Every structure is written in C-alpha cells, then in structure tokens.
Amino acid sequence: MARTSDFLSKVKKMFLIGLSLTIFLAITGCAVANRFYVPPAFEEAETKGTASREAAASDMLTVTTWNVGYGGMGAESDFIFDLGEQRRPLSGDLVDKNLKAIQQELSTLDSDVFLIQEAAPPSWITYGRDILGGLTATLDGYEWSFGPDINTRGLPGPFHVQVGNTTYSRIALSGFERRGLPLEPTFEYGVFRKGYRMHIARIDAEQQWVIINIHLSTFDSEDDDVRGAQVAALMEFAQSEYALGNHVVIGGDWNLRLANSDFPHTSDERFLFWVRDFPQGAVPPGWTWAVDQQTPTVRGAHQPYVAGENFTLIIDGFLVSPNVQVRDVTTRDLDFQHTDHHPVTANFSAL
C-alpha cells in the first residue's frame, strides 16, 4: 500500500507540474501574440445577413450611433479604467437585464443604419452572454459586419474576450472595409492593446454614401495625443472620399467633447482626467456636426450612476461632408440605465 501511495503521489505531482507548465506557456504565448500583433492597415470585410431594402431608395438616410457597453455598463456599474473598481459587470443577471432593454430600444429606433460600439460575443466579460447575437437577432433584415477592437488572442474559450464595432444596414451595401487608425503605445494589463479602426460601409445608389463607424481612444495622454493623430488620419481619409464625390457620414463614440456643455454634477475633478475637447481646427471648411446639444451622451463611470452626481458630456454624434444636409438630430435620454451612453439618431439628405 505504501508503494502504491508513493506512486500515486508522484503521478499527482507530475500532473500538477505539467498543468502548471501548460498554463504558463499558454499565458506566455498569449502575451507574445498580443504584444506583437498589429491590425492590418486595410482589409476588406465580409458582411452577414440580408438587407431588406435596395440601394436605389437611399437618397435620404437615417443613422443611429450607440455605444452599448457590452451589456455591462448599466447604472449599477463603474469601471476600473475610469478610476472605479469593477473589471466586469457585477452579475450575469445584470447583463441580461441590460441587453433586453437595449434590444427593446433598438426595436423602436427606425434607422437605416446603426453604428454600434462595444458589441461583444460571449466571454468572461459578459458572463457568457452573447451581446452581438442579441443585437443581430433584434435587427433582423439588416446586413451587418462585426470587427473587434479588443481581441485577446491566444486565450482559450470563455477567456477570449472580443469587444468592437458592428455596423448594421437595412439598405444593401456595395462594400465593407476596415482601415487602421493610430494605436496607443501602452498595453492594457500589460498584454494587449486596442486595435482602433475605421469601419466603413459603402452604399452605391443615386447618391454614393460612405458611412464610417468609429470608437476613438479614451485614455491616451496629452503627450501621446493618440486621439489627435486618430482624428487627423480619419479626416484625411474622409476628405479623400469626399473629393471623389461621395457623401460621407462619420459617426460613433469620439471620446472627445463635441459641444460645450455644463450639465450639473458633483464629481471630483480628478475623475475628468480623460476629458478633452475635439480639436476644432481639424474640421475642414464646410463639414458639419450633427450633435444634440441639449442632452448628454455619456456619463462618468468612476462610480455607479447617480443623476446629478456623475459628470456627463457629449462625445457621441456625427460629422458630415459638405454635400450632406443634416435635417435633424436627437439624443434619446434613457437616464443611463442600461449602458453608459445614449443613442444619437440623425436624418441626412444628399445635396
């Protein structure tokens, strides 16, 4: 019996050593894969789903942009990068609640195109809930494409996190592509960095539309000024498309203050460390903002949301080329109950 016990003890020890070595190699491989990965500067992307309308009917366009916070940024949540405490939502039940409310809201927004930020397939950060699948099921009759900006390559199964932009169009697309934007020099958790990109949908109709879905950097330093470099690259591409006669709509989460606002709050100044104004000198002559200046689009996430306490501002909206008329724009005030952003909807027509 003693010999059997010694043998089993040795087998168990060898197993634990092998398991530890496997985990170490997996983590090391993940770190190497993510630290040295650079997103391609350009890639044509496939779309899924079937649009319910032909492109010929697209002389006017209704577009909604909304950062849905991977279903995990409802009023109960804070976020560690905003100097809060949470790395993910408090529970899967909260994610379910948030996703259901987001789906209900999307179903009431009669938009030709939805520009969604922070969609996510199931993973650790969503407690296995499929946020992307829920959005897609709600927007039946839309052609769509998803591209992750956060992508933890090398991590297995549920630990592999993807969060990114999804564009949905009920008007048939003639093409979809992604183009790289300048990256931050730092790595999140020392392992990966976000792969910022322009997500570009093309509609060929009587008017040629180029619709760009963006989510710019948040936590760059003023010395790095990654956001400034991203805006410059974005405008260079947008102007080149306008020079070809295309009608350009840029929408999304700019992570830059797009309009002066003084919404009441009691947040300490240190929690506003990431807030920076859009560099107005970067807007070419004739280009127009579509922003609802009456309603904030984002709230501070250093603490769970309390109206009048968390600071709020406007960072979500649209910038359009001189050959596009802004007919109206509205931010729907949902009191930040199910995500830390509000949806912004604008109606455009071609000039």
Side-chain angles (χ1 to χ4, degrees):
M1 291 294 294
R3 290 182 179 180
T4 302
S5 177
D6 289 344
F7 174 76
L8 292 176
S9 178
K10 289 179 180 179
V11 170
K12 181 179 179 180
K13 184 177 181 180
M14 290 175 64
F15 172 78
L16 292 175
I17 291 173
L19 179 62
S20 299
L21 181 60
T22 300
I23 293 172
F24 171 77
L25 291 174
I27 293 173
T28 302
C30 172
V32 171
N34 285 290
R35 286 186 71 89
F36 290 97
Y37 176 78
V38 177
F42 168 81
E43 62 177 355
E44 292 184 355
E46 68 173 11
T47 59
K48 300 179 180 180
T50 302
S52 58
R53 282 175 48 187
E54 294 299 321
S58 59
D59 54 335
M60 297 200 326
L61 210 60
T62 301
V63 185
T64 292
T65 180
W66 196 7
N67 184 328
V68 298
Y70 53 88
M73 288 302 297
E76 305 87 353
S77 296
D78 60 38
F79 188 51
I80 189 168
F81 288 161
D82 288 87
L83 305 184
E85 298 179 354
Q86 300 172 24
R87 288 177 170 82
R88 66 169 179 165
L90 293 172
S91 72
D93 288 342
L94 283 178
V95 177
D96 291 334
K97 175 184 73 71
N98 293 335
L99 176 58
K100 182 178 179 180
I102 290 167
Q103 289 176 294
Q104 290 176 339
E105 189 64 29
L106 286 174
S107 67
T108 68
L109 293 169
D110 186 24
S111 290
D112 300 310
V113 178
F114 286 93
L115 308 180
I116 303 295
Q117 301 85 46
E118 295 195 5
S123 73
W124 172 85
I125 200 172
T126 68
Y127 291 87
R129 274 58 169 183
D130 189 356
I131 307 305
L132 176 62
L135 303 177
T136 302
T138 301
L139 297 175
D140 186 32
Y142 284 75
E143 188 175 355
W144 62 277
S145 184
F146 168 75
D149 292 339
I150 293 177
N151 194 2
T152 55
R153 293 167 181 81
L155 285 178
F159 300 104
H160 180 200
V161 176
Q162 289 186 316
V163 180
N165 289 19
T166 312
T167 299
Y168 295 90
S169 176
R170 67 180 174 193
I171 303 171
L173 300 178
S174 59
F176 198 94
E177 67 201 61
R178 298 188 182 93
R179 294 178 181 268
L181 289 170
L183 305 179
E184 295 161 346
T186 56
F187 293 83
E188 297 186 40
Y189 299 112
V191 176
F192 67 93
R193 60 182 175 185
K194 294 180 71 173
Y196 298 96
R197 293 179 289 179
M198 294 177 274
H199 303 252
I200 305 159
R202 297 180 181 273
I203 297 175
D204 288 343
E206 294 180 6
Q207 311 295 338
Q208 309 296 309
W209 293 93
V210 175
I211 306 159
I212 308 172
N213 185 355
I214 61 165
H215 187 185
L216 302 187
S217 173
T218 314
F219 303 112
D220 61 328
S221 69
E222 290 194 25
D223 291 337
D224 296 329
D225 193 21
V226 175
R227 278 176 279 187
Q230 290 176 342
V231 168
L234 176 61
M235 293 315 307
E236 181 180 4
F237 172 75
Q239 288 188 85
S240 71
E241 290 292 325
Y242 170 59
L244 296 174
N246 294 326
H247 296 72
V248 182
V249 175
I250 309 169
D253 178 354
W254 296 78
N255 273 319
L256 290 159
R257 184 157 43 197
L258 304 182
N260 291 328
S261 59
D262 189 23
F263 303 115
H265 71 88
T266 59
S267 298
D268 191 276
E269 190 71 21
R270 67 190 178 96
F271 296 120
L272 281 69
F273 68 96
W274 63 270
V275 176
R276 198 180 308 167
D277 291 330
F278 185 92
Q280 290 299 327
V283 178
W287 289 68
T288 304
W289 285 107
V291 174
D292 178 356
Q293 299 193 38
Q294 305 305 311
T295 308
T297 69
V298 70
R299 57 95 168 178
H302 60 285
Q303 65 174 36
Y305 178 64
V306 179
E309 291 187 12
N310 298 63
F311 70 91
T312 61
L313 63 155
I314 298 170
I315 65 172
D316 304 85
F318 304 91
L319 182 64
V320 301
S321 54
N323 55 356
V324 175
Q325 178 184 8
V326 179
R327 302 173 68 88
D328 59 71
V329 57
T330 303
T331 297
R332 189 170 293 197
D333 189 346
L334 304 176
D335 199 30
F336 301 112
Q337 289 304 296
H338 308 294
T339 177
D340 56 338
H341 289 252
H342 284 148
V344 184
T345 301
N347 292 296
F348 305 109
S349 59
L351 295 174

